[in-house]
Amino acid sequence: MSFSYWELKEWFTNIDFTIVGSGIVGLNCALQLREKYPKAKILVLEKGMLPQGASTKNAGFACFGSLSELIDDLQTHTEEEVFNLVKKRWQGLQLLRTTLGDKNIDFQQNKGYELFLTTEFYELCLDKKNAINKLLEPLFSSDVFTVDDNKFHFKSIHQNYITNLFEGQIDTGKMAAKLLEKVLSSGIKIINNIQVKEFSENNEHVAIQTNQITFKTKKLFMATNGFANQLLNEKVQPARAQVLITKPIRNLHIKGTFHLDKGYYYFRNIDDRILFGGGRNLDFKGEETTNFGETALIQNKLEEILKTTILPNSEIEIDHCWSGIMGVGNRKKAILKQLSNNVFCGVRLGGMGVAIGSLVGKELAELIN
């Protein structure tokens, strides 16, 4: 297809900043660039009809780590590193709320609950609770983790939960829609259904080859997270997360966000439905993919837990299933760096995109300082 003179002039000429990926990171990067450079010509490229990764597909947990996750992180990270991870996530959540407004993303701080399948693992986490609270005290000025009894009457779990008093939840669709609206209203252009094939750089610009057109930009920002390895040589492993949601359930009493089995399963109430995801631990290798889709192994396990543990005495119908692609690695810290004179990246959010995506996007834009 040949583009018109007007199309070339308006969309693909004299581009100052091009961002690949219209998820949380990419759009926050664009907003920060607009704030710093009001007259710049900014272009966002998105290969999907909607943001393709996890930004519009996640479960909407405004979380920064369950107790068992933080305990596990201390096996491979120092106390200072774990504290800084939580700090970044907490700061990112506050930035998200400030940028978009709590009402616009339906933010609710209904607490987070970690459920335990065995007494042994519960007691192991309980033994570490005070130490983790002490570690996080400079950030929250009070205990983060407390103990509650099984007030939601789940089955086949330990009678007590570990409660995160500061965990919240959002409406993922509202968040993404409001973020897109904010970006477009600032004069930033977004092009969907366009895929970057490769890019090359000289001292003055970056040439971007797509499946539609080749054009030049002064600076290029990569915000493709789980798809990063398709264009970058960085240590980012794709990780598919499968999710299902039920049809509405009358008198659904569950309120809050819930983590089960070391966080490999997670669920919540949204619009009187149960949104339930996870199970990647059943097939780590198979879920290291950038292909969307669901598998019988994981979907059957989700349905089993839903019917035997979460809502054992309820009539449940599954309404819809989907998947999202995260970017993970052997370290929890995001990869945020300058790759060359004119190319920058902010990727590997480790399944914490809602928490850190806004901050990573802001810091990605600030790399050009």
Side-chain angles (χ1 to χ4, degrees), residues 64-67 69-89 132 135-136 139-140 331-332:
F64 49 84
S66 66
L67 180 60
E69 182 179 2
L70 298 180
I71 292 171
D72 188 60
D73 287 343
L74 286 170
Q75 304 300 312
T76 52
H77 298 70
T78 66
E79 287 192 356
E80 181 181 8
E81 287 173 330
V82 171
F83 176 84
N84 287 331
L85 285 172
V86 174
K87 183 179 179 180
K88 287 280 189 183
R89 294 165 183 170
I132 299 293
L135 175 65
L136 301 182
L139 189 57
F140 295 95
R331 305 294 291 174
K332 292 292 185 77

Side-chain angles (χ1 to χ4, degrees), residues 50-312:
L50 299 172
Q52 189 80 349
S55 291
T56 55
K57 299 175 176 66
N58 64 78
F61 281 43
C63 60
F64 49 84
S66 66
L67 180 60
S68 67
E69 182 179 2
L70 298 180
I71 292 171
D72 188 60
D73 287 343
L74 286 170
Q75 304 300 312
T76 52
H77 298 70
T78 66
E79 287 192 356
E80 181 181 8
E81 287 173 330
V82 171
F83 176 84
N84 287 331
L85 285 172
V86 174
K87 183 179 179 180
K88 287 280 189 183
R89 294 165 183 170
W90 185 246
Q91 289 175 335
L93 286 169
Q94 306 321 303
L95 180 59
L96 171 66
R97 295 171 62 187
T98 300
T99 301
L100 300 181
D102 285 354
K103 183 178 180 180
N104 290 322
I105 61 176
D106 193 20
F107 175 81
Q108 301 175 37
Q109 199 166 68
N110 292 332
K111 303 179 185 178
Y113 302 93
E114 181 161 14
L115 316 181
F116 298 88
L117 297 175
T118 68
T119 298
E120 180 182 9
F121 190 59
Y122 166 76
E123 291 180 346
L124 184 151
C125 291
L126 185 63
D127 185 58
K128 302 287 187 181
K129 176 177 71 70
N130 290 341
I132 299 293
N133 279 334
K134 184 177 180 181
L135 175 65
L136 301 182
E137 187 176 10
L139 189 57
F140 295 95
S141 301
S142 65
D143 285 350
V144 173
F145 298 104
T146 61
V147 177
D148 274 307
D149 60 14
N150 189 354
K151 60 184 177 182
F152 296 108
H153 308 296
F154 300 123
K155 301 296 183 183
S156 305
I157 65 164
H158 189 272
Q159 64 181 351
N160 295 116
Y161 314 149
I162 300 291
T163 301
N164 182 333
L165 300 174
F166 293 89
E167 187 163 308
Q169 61 194 59
I170 65 168
D171 184 306
T172 292
K174 289 181 179 180
M175 175 204 67
K178 192 64 181 179
L179 193 52
L180 285 165
E181 177 187 321
K182 192 175 181 72
V183 167
L184 289 170
S185 67
S186 70
I188 296 166
K189 291 181 172 63
I190 301 176
I191 301 178
N192 292 84
N193 291 317
I194 185 168
Q195 185 169 1
V196 175
K197 296 295 188 179
E198 61 181 17
F199 60 88
S200 58
E201 179 181 13
N202 67 23
N203 292 331
E204 297 180 355
H205 65 258
V206 181
I208 302 175
Q209 180 185 336
T210 77
N211 61 336
Q212 306 280 356
I213 189 173
T214 298
F215 67 97
K216 295 176 182 179
T217 185
K218 291 179 182 176
K219 304 288 183 185
L220 174 64
F221 299 85
M222 303 298 299
T224 52
N225 197 28
F227 301 92
N229 283 350
Q230 295 177 354
L231 291 167
L232 304 176
N233 184 26
E234 297 295 328
K235 295 179 179 179
V236 184
Q237 183 67 52
R240 184 170 62 188
Q242 299 186 38
V243 183
L244 61 76
I245 194 165
T246 70
K247 291 184 177 180
I249 301 169
R250 182 178 294 181
N251 299 321
L252 185 59
H253 63 285
I254 294 170
K255 183 178 182 180
T257 48
F258 298 84
H259 308 259
L260 175 67
D261 194 11
K262 303 179 183 179
Y264 284 121
Y265 299 94
Y266 43 89
F267 61 95
R268 60 177 288 202
N269 177 339
I270 174 70
D271 300 330
D272 293 322
R273 305 164 181 255
I274 289 293
L275 186 155
F276 186 27
R280 192 165 59 91
N281 56 318
L282 299 175
D283 184 15
F284 279 123
K285 196 64 182 175
E287 296 305 294
E288 291 178 357
T289 178
T290 55
N291 295 323
F292 293 96
E294 298 78 50
T295 63
L297 173 67
I298 291 178
Q299 291 294 316
N300 289 342
K301 187 64 175 179
L302 292 177
E303 290 192 38
E304 176 192 328
I305 296 173
L306 180 63
K307 294 175 180 178
T308 60
T309 299
I310 301 172
L311 292 170

Side-chain angles (χ1 to χ4, degrees), residues 310-321:
I310 301 172
L311 292 170
N313 300 315
S314 301
E315 290 293 326
I316 303 169
E317 291 185 75
I318 307 303
D319 192 28
H320 184 53
C321 306

